[in-house]
Amino acid sequence: MSSSNNSNLVVILGTGGTIAGRAAQASDNVGYKAAELGVQQLLDAIPALAGRPLEAEQLAQLDSKDMDFATWQKLARRVAEHLARPEVAGLVITHGTDTLEETAFFLQRVLAPAKPVVLTAAMRPATALQTDGPQNLLDAVAVAVHPGARGVLTVFAGAIHSAEQVRKVHSYKVEAFASSDGALLGLVEEGVLRLLGAWPAAGDGLGLARIEARAATAWPRVQILLNHVGADGALVRALLAQGVDGLVVAGTGNGTLSHALEAALREARSAGVKVLRSTRCDAGPVMESAGALPSAGALSPVKARVQLLLDLLA
C-alpha cells in the first residue's frame, strides 16, 4: 500500500470498549457498561477535532473481553479497504483495553500497513469525572496524520507503542500499557510527536487471504496453559480429548516447564498438535535451546496464540 498521502483524512473505526462506556454515577470508574456510545458521539465530545477531515464508522459495539474472530475478519477487511484510498492518511480504531494488544498484533501481522493504523482506548468510561478517552483519541489522530508514521500502533496516556511490544500491565491505572522490553516508539506532547524509535516495518503482512479462507467459526482452536507449582498434564490431555489444534504454554522464567506438563505437551505434539513455549514473565524472550519445545521468542502468551492461529490458518 502506498505511503504517500494526498490528504489528512483520518478514518475512525469504532468497536466499543470502555472509551464508549457509561456509568450511572460520575464517580464510578468500574461499575460501568462498556460500548454504550457511538464513535461519532466520542468525536463530538472533543472540540479540538472540530473542523478536521474525519470519517467515522461504527464497525462493532462490544466489550473487548468479548472480541471474536468474526469481528477480526471484518475489521482487517475494512482497514485494508480504507488504507487503499489515496485520500486517507491513516486510521484510528477505538477499542477496549482488555484485548487491544491481541487485535493490534493481529492487524500488524496480517496487514503490515505502510500507513498508520492507531488503536486507542480508555481506562475510565466516558461519564467519569476524569475520563481519559478524549485525550487518548485526540492523541491518536495526531499520530495518524504524522508524516512518515506507519504500521499498527497503540497510543495511550501520551505514549506510542508498536503492536509487537505493547502489553496491558495494570488493571486499573490510566497508564495501563507499556512496551514489554522498553522499546517505546515515542510520546505525544500537546499534540506534538517526539519520536524515540523507528516505525514498524511495512509490507511483510500475511494478507487478507490468510484469514478469509475459512469462516470464523472454523478457525483453529488454540488454547493457553500456564506452568505453576504442581502443574501436571491433566489439562493438556483434557484438551486433546476435546479436540485442539494448538497449545501455547506460558512457562516460568525462560519458558521452563514441570516434567509432567512438558511430557503431556510432547504427547500432544506427537498427536499432531502445534505447541509454542512462551513465558509468564512480563517481559523478555524465551531462548531457544537444544531439545526444548519450540519457542515463541519475545511474544507474550496471548500474542503467541495469535501467531499460532495465523500459522495454522496457512
Side-chain angles (χ1 to χ4, degrees):
M1 296 174 185
S2 174
S3 60
S4 61
N5 299 323
N6 299 319
S7 171
N8 282 332
L9 176 64
V10 176
V11 176
I12 317 288
L13 299 180
T15 69
T18 297
I19 194 171
R22 287 192 294 199
Q25 302 293 331
S27 58
D28 190 351
N29 292 320
V30 294
Y32 59 87
K33 185 175 181 182
E36 288 282 283
L37 301 177
V39 65
Q40 188 61 55
Q41 290 174 280
L42 301 183
L43 296 174
D44 291 343
I46 308 174
L49 290 178
R52 279 185 177 267
L54 302 174
E55 285 183 11
E57 178 181 335
Q58 195 71 48
L59 185 133
Q61 190 69 305
L62 46 76
D63 187 320
S64 78
K65 65 179 176 55
D66 297 314
M67 182 57 69
D68 53 42
F69 296 154
T71 304
W72 270 4
Q73 284 182 318
K74 182 180 178 182
L75 181 59
R77 189 180 311 118
R78 289 300 287 149
V79 168
E81 289 168 354
H82 285 301
L83 288 172
R85 298 167 57 193
E87 70 273 19
V88 171
L91 282 83
V92 170
I93 301 170
T94 60
H95 199 284
T97 61
D98 284 347
T99 57
L100 180 146
E101 63 201 85
E102 295 170 65
T103 297
F105 182 70
F106 170 78
L107 290 174
Q108 176 64 31
R109 291 296 294 121
V110 172
L111 300 175
K115 296 178 182 180
V117 176
V118 186
L119 280 79
T120 195
M123 288 296 288
R124 303 287 182 261
T127 50
L129 290 170
Q130 291 185 311
T131 183
D132 53 327
Q135 186 67 58
N136 287 342
L137 185 48
L138 183 63
D139 289 347
V141 171
V143 174
V145 296
H146 185 75
R150 65 175 182 266
V152 180
L153 312 165
T154 295
V155 172
F156 202 90
I160 308 168
H161 306 275
S162 71
E164 289 88 351
Q165 288 285 330
V166 69
R167 295 192 190 191
K168 187 174 181 180
V169 296
H170 203 279
S171 63
Y172 180 76
K173 293 196 304 185
V174 293
E175 300 87 358
F177 288 90
S179 287
S180 57
D181 281 309
L184 192 64
L185 286 183
L187 302 169
V188 186
E189 299 160 334
E190 297 298 315
V192 178
L193 272 66
R194 178 156 61 95
L195 292 179
L196 305 175
W199 299 112
D204 61 348
L206 298 173
L208 290 175
R210 173 75 63 96
I211 64 167
E212 293 185 332
R214 300 193 211 177
T217 53
W219 277 24
R221 187 180 183 199
V222 180
Q223 300 289 348
I224 298 175
L225 301 166
L226 183 73
N227 191 53
H228 49 75
V229 172
D232 59 24
L235 285 176
V236 175
R237 296 185 180 98
L239 288 169
L240 278 173
Q242 292 179 13
V244 68
D245 302 294
L247 292 170
V248 173
V249 58
T252 36
N254 185 35
T256 58
L257 305 170
S258 73
H259 290 299
L261 179 56
E262 181 169 352
L265 289 167
R266 291 187 181 278
E267 291 174 21
R269 287 193 79 202
S270 297
V273 175
K274 299 294 183 182
V275 176
L276 276 181
R277 185 170 50 96
S278 183
T279 175
R280 72 183 205 186
C281 294
D282 289 339
V286 169
M287 308 302 292
E288 294 279 8
S289 59
L293 290 168
S295 166
L299 295 178
S300 67
V302 293
K303 289 180 183 176
R305 176 177 177 266
V306 174
Q307 184 60 58
L308 190 47
L309 273 169
L310 293 171
D311 290 345
L312 290 166
L313 281 171

